[in-house]
Amino acid sequence: MTIQQLTVFLAVCEDLNYTRAAARVFISRQAVRQNISELEQELSGHLFHNDRNRLSLTAKGRLLRDKAEPIVRDFRELKRIMNADIRIERPLRLGIS
């Protein structure tokens, strides 16, 4: 289980839609499904019910959501604190061709 998988899982929990969750975390819908599938395999159970393309959390999914939210929040805060002293002398410019 990775922070990335938990982040994707929480995005699906919020949207209850794979496509919108994919847009939220900037990955493909297929990658979202793969992350959820890997979590379900690792945790030996389904995290979502899918009834006619309507997602809802299972009991295991609700438990994971409740435990994952503070972990992901704390991880983001740790990254913010650790990167707070990074100062960029010049603007960072990126180019895409």
Side-chain angles (χ1 to χ4, degrees):
M1 183 179 321
T2 66
I3 289 291
Q4 172 68 23
Q5 288 173 326
L6 292 178
T7 301
V8 169
F9 169 74
L10 291 175
V12 177
C13 287
E14 287 182 34
D15 292 316
L16 293 176
N17 181 286
Y18 293 121
T19 303
R20 287 192 300 265
R24 178 189 294 261
V25 295
F26 305 106
I27 62 176
S28 71
R29 183 180 186 280
Q30 181 180 0
V32 168
R33 295 289 303 265
Q34 182 66 34
N35 275 274
I36 298 301
S37 177
E38 288 170 0
L39 273 175
E40 289 176 335
Q41 185 174 8
E42 183 174 346
L43 300 174
S44 301
H46 293 286
L47 300 172
F48 295 96
H49 292 293
N50 189 346
D51 184 30
R52 297 185 186 129
N53 292 327
R54 289 184 174 254
L55 292 179
S56 61
L57 284 164
T58 63
K60 186 173 275 205
R62 286 190 298 274
L63 177 62
L64 180 60
R65 179 195 59 203
D66 294 345
K67 298 295 184 183
E69 284 175 339
I71 292 168
V72 171
R73 185 177 53 245
D74 289 348
F75 180 78
R76 287 178 180 158
E77 178 65 10
L78 176 61
K79 279 179 50 178
R80 187 191 66 72
I81 290 167
M82 297 307 291
N83 291 326
D85 65 339
I86 297 173
R87 291 185 178 81
I88 298 175
E89 301 286 326
R90 301 178 299 198
L92 179 63
R93 296 177 188 207
L94 300 175
I96 299 173
S97 60

